[in-house]
C-alpha cells in the first residue's frame, strides 16, 4: 500500500460475507490501518481502526455523503467494492430466453454495474495520486464473453460484463492522472455465502471456498498487480479472466 505504514483503505459492502472477510483480513495484515467500512446497516463490530459509514447504495446523494466523510482522511490507498446481487425472492438466474424479464435485468444491472460505477465516481478522486493506488470490485468469471460456453444466467452475466467494461474504461482515464493507478475486477470463485447458496450442489470438491479464504487470496492477488494489469479482471488464483 504505497509503502505507507498506515494505509488508508475503504471497503464497500463490509457487512456481507466476502466484504466482512475483507475487513477481517485487512485488520490482520495491517495493524495500523485506517479502515473505512461502508454498509447499508451501519457498524458490525467494534475496532478502533475501523470507521463505519452507513450508505444507501441506490442513492447517489448518500454515496456522496460517505465520500465526503472519507475525504477527511484521504488519500485512499485501496478501495474495494464487495457488493453485488445474483438472486433474491423475486429474481432467479434465467435458464432460457423465456425467463428474461425487464425488471430483473434492470435490477441486476443496477446492483452489479451501476453501484460500483457510482462508488468509483465518488471515491476515485480520493485515491492516491502520487504512487500505487488500487480500486477493485467483485466481478465474476461468468461476466467473460469469450469464456461463456454454457449460456443461461442472462442478467447476471450481462451485468458483470458491463462492470468489466466500466472497469476497463475507468482504468484508462485514471491512468492519465496517476500512472501507478490500478483498477481491477476480482473473481472470488464460488464462495459459501447467501449469494451462492442455492447453486452449490454442482460445485466440484475443493472449489467451494470460505469467505475468509477468498478474501485472503484476493488480497494476495491485489498485492501482486502491476499498473499494466489495470483494466482487467483476475481470479482468486491470480489468473487473468478473459474478456
Amino acid at each position: 500500500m504505497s509503502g505507507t505504514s498506515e494505509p488508508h483503505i475503504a471497503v464497500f459492502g463490509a457487512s456481507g460475507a466476502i466484504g466482512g472477510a475483507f475487513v477481517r483480513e485487512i485488520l490482520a495484515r495491517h495493524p495500523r490501518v485506517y479502515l473505512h467500512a461502508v454498509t447499508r446497516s451501519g457498524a458490525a463490530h467494534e475496532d478502533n481502526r475501523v470507521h463505519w459509514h452507513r450508505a444507501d447504495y441506490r442513492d447517489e446523494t448518500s454515496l456522496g455523503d460517505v465520500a465526503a466523510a472519507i475525504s477527511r482522511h484521504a488519500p485512499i490507498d485501496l478501495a474495494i467494492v464487495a457488493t453485488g446481487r445474483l438472486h433474491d425472492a423475486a429474481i432467479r438466474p434465467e435458464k432460457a430466453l423465456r425467463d428474461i424479464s425487464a425488471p430483473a435485468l434492470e435490477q441486476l444491472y443496477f446492483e452489479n454495474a451501476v453501484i460500483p460505477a457510482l462508488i468509483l465516481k465518488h471515491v476515485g478522486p480520493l485515491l492516491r495520486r502520487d504512487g500505487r493506488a488500487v480500486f477493485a470490485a467483485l466481478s465474476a468469471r461468468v461476466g467473460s464473453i469469450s469464456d461463456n460456453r454454457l449460456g443461461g444466467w442472462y442478467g447476471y452475466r450481462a451485468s458483470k460484463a458491463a462492470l468489466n467494461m466500466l472497469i476497463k474504461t475507468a482504468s484508462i482515464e485514471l491512468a492519465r492522472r496517476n500512472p501507478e493507478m490500478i483498477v481491477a475486477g476480482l473473481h472470488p470463485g464460488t464462495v459459501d455465502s447467501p449469494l451462492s447458496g442455492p447453486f452449490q450442489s454442482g460445485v466440484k470438491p475443493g472449489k467451494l471456498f470460505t469467505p475468509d479464504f477468498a478474501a485472503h487470496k484476493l488480497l494476495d492477488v491485489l498485492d501482486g498487480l502491476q499498473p499494466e494489469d489495470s483494466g482487467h479482471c483476475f481470479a482468486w488464483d491470480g489468473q487473468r479472466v478473459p474478456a
Side-chain angles (χ1 to χ4, degrees), residues 12 55-57 59-68 115 118-119 122:
F12 291 78
D56 178 354
Y57 298 125
D59 179 358
E60 189 172 354
T61 300
S62 177
L63 289 175
D65 291 342
V66 169
I115 287 175
L118 291 177
I119 293 172
H122 289 280

Side-chain angles (χ1 to χ4, degrees), residues 1 11 23 58 61 64 78 133 146-147 169 173 189 211 224 227 232 243:
M1 297 293 100
V11 175
V23 169
R58 301 185 68 86
T61 300
L78 169 64
S146 62
D147 193 55
T169 305
E173 176 182 347
H232 298 284

Side-chain angles (χ1 to χ4, degrees), residues 169-209:
T169 305
S171 72
I172 296 169
E173 176 182 347
L174 294 178
R176 299 185 187 121
R177 190 182 73 190
N178 179 0
E180 295 186 60
M181 179 77 70
I182 298 168
V183 184
L186 296 173
H187 168 59
T190 303
V191 177
D192 188 8
S193 70
L195 184 145
S196 69
F199 314 101
Q200 294 178 4
S201 60
V203 179
K204 295 179 180 179
K207 292 298 184 180
L208 180 62
F209 304 142

Side-chain angles (χ1 to χ4, degrees), residues 30 76 138 144 154 165 199-200 213:
H30 302 287
I76 300 299
L138 287 185
S144 167
Y154 286 88
M165 178 57 79
F199 314 101
Q200 294 178 4
F213 175 86

Side-chain angles (χ1 to χ4, degrees), residues 9-161:
I9 299 174
V11 175
F12 291 78
S15 61
I18 301 179
F22 272 127
V23 169
R24 292 190 294 273
E25 181 67 18
I26 289 167
L27 292 175
R29 293 186 182 211
H30 302 287
R32 297 186 58 194
V33 68
Y34 196 106
L35 178 58
H36 300 277
V38 186
T39 73
R40 287 184 170 97
S41 56
H45 61 78
E46 294 293 332
D47 188 303
N48 59 14
R49 295 170 293 170
V50 184
H51 306 271
W52 293 93
H53 306 270
R54 180 178 295 175
D56 178 354
Y57 298 125
R58 301 185 68 86
D59 179 358
E60 189 172 354
T61 300
S62 177
L63 289 175
D65 291 342
V66 169
I70 293 175
S71 71
R72 293 193 284 270
H73 305 279
I76 300 299
D77 298 287
L78 169 64
I80 299 174
V81 179
T83 63
R85 185 179 302 275
L86 170 59
H87 64 91
D88 59 23
I91 296 176
R92 289 292 182 269
E94 308 92 342
K95 295 181 179 179
L97 286 167
R98 64 177 175 271
D99 300 323
I100 291 176
S101 76
L105 289 175
E106 290 172 351
Q107 183 171 342
L108 288 172
Y109 183 79
F110 196 94
E111 293 282 344
N112 294 326
V114 175
I115 287 175
L118 291 177
I119 293 172
L120 181 52
K121 172 184 175 179
H122 289 280
V123 173
L126 308 180
L127 292 167
R128 182 174 297 279
R129 292 172 178 257
D130 57 343
R132 190 176 191 273
V134 179
F135 178 93
L138 287 185
S139 186
R141 184 176 295 277
V142 297
S144 167
I145 294 174
S146 62
D147 193 55
N148 182 359
R149 296 177 177 85
L150 297 176
W153 289 32
Y154 286 88
Y156 189 68
R157 286 183 184 276
S159 64
K160 290 298 189 180

